Amino acid sequence: GIEFIRLGKEQGGILCITAKVWKELPFDKNSCNNYTKSSLRKELQQKFLPLLDEADLLPYEMDLTADNGDTAYGKCTDKVGLISCDLYRKYRNFIPLFDEWMWTCTAWHCISGLANNVRGVNTSGALSGSYAYSASGVVPACIFIENQ
C-alpha cells in the first residue's frame, strides 16, 4: 500500500523514494546531525522497514559526506534510509515538491560541538538547513531489486 517514485539505477538496483511524506519527525531528538546516530534512523528501521518485504530490497549505502565536504561521518548501510543532497540534485526533476520540508541524510558540517544542523529540502525545492531537533518530512528511500 505504499506508493514509490522510481528515481534511477543506483548500487545494483532501483533507487526509489516514497511518493508522499511518511511522517514529520525530528532528525534527532538530541539534535545530533549524524544520521548513523539519529533517532530518525532508528524510527525508519523499527517502524517503516517492517511495512516492506525486505526480500525485495538491496542494502542501501548512504554517503554521509557533509555539505562542506567533511567525510567524518563516513557511510551508513541500511535497507531503508534517506537520500543525500547529492542524490537530490541528481534526481531533482523526479522528486515532487512536498507541503513539508524533507530531510536528507546530509549534515551541514561535522564540527564537534556545533554538529546540530542538517540539510533538507524546503517547500520550493531549495536545499536549506534546519536544526536536527526540528520536525520535518520523512521521505524514505530504498533500493529495490531490479526485475530482469
Side-chain angles (χ1 to χ4, degrees):
I2 301 170
E3 183 180 349
F4 285 89
I5 297 169
R6 178 184 173 128
L7 298 180
K9 291 185 179 188
E10 296 286 338
Q11 301 176 28
I14 304 298
L15 176 64
C16 296
I17 59 168
T18 57
K20 297 179 181 174
V21 169
W22 174 56
K23 289 184 178 183
E24 285 189 69
L25 295 169
F27 187 85
D28 184 68
K29 295 173 184 172
N30 296 313
S31 201
C32 174
N33 71 352
N34 182 345
Y35 180 76
T36 303
K37 298 177 181 180
S38 71
S39 58
L40 176 52
R41 179 184 184 209
K42 291 179 186 88
E43 185 85 7
L44 284 170
Q45 302 316 302
Q46 294 172 0
K47 302 282 173 71
F48 185 78
L49 183 57
L51 302 174
L52 306 175
D53 184 348
E54 286 191 58
D56 294 334
L57 303 174
L58 293 172
Y60 172 34
E61 183 180 81
M62 290 162 275
D63 182 351
L64 303 180
T65 300
D67 194 57
N68 68 350
D70 192 335
T71 59
Y73 294 160
K75 296 177 190 266
C76 173
T77 303
D78 289 320
K79 290 282 183 106
V80 65
L82 301 174
I83 62 171
S84 65
C85 286
D86 289 339
L87 286 173
Y88 174 74
R89 288 180 193 102
K90 181 175 180 178
Y91 294 112
R92 181 180 175 144
N93 291 336
F94 303 106
I95 300 172
L97 296 178
F98 297 107
D99 292 334
E100 305 87 353
W101 281 44
M102 175 185 88
W103 288 120
T104 71
C105 63
T106 304
W108 190 273
H109 54 70
C110 307
I111 300 169
S112 181
L114 299 173
N116 58 11
N117 208 293
V118 182
R119 298 292 273 165
V121 179
N122 69 26
T123 57
S124 72
L127 288 167
S128 299
S130 190
Y131 288 111
Y133 61 78
S134 302
S136 282
V138 178
V139 178
C142 53
I143 297 182
F144 285 96
I145 296 170
E146 184 174 14
N147 293 330
Q148 299 290 323

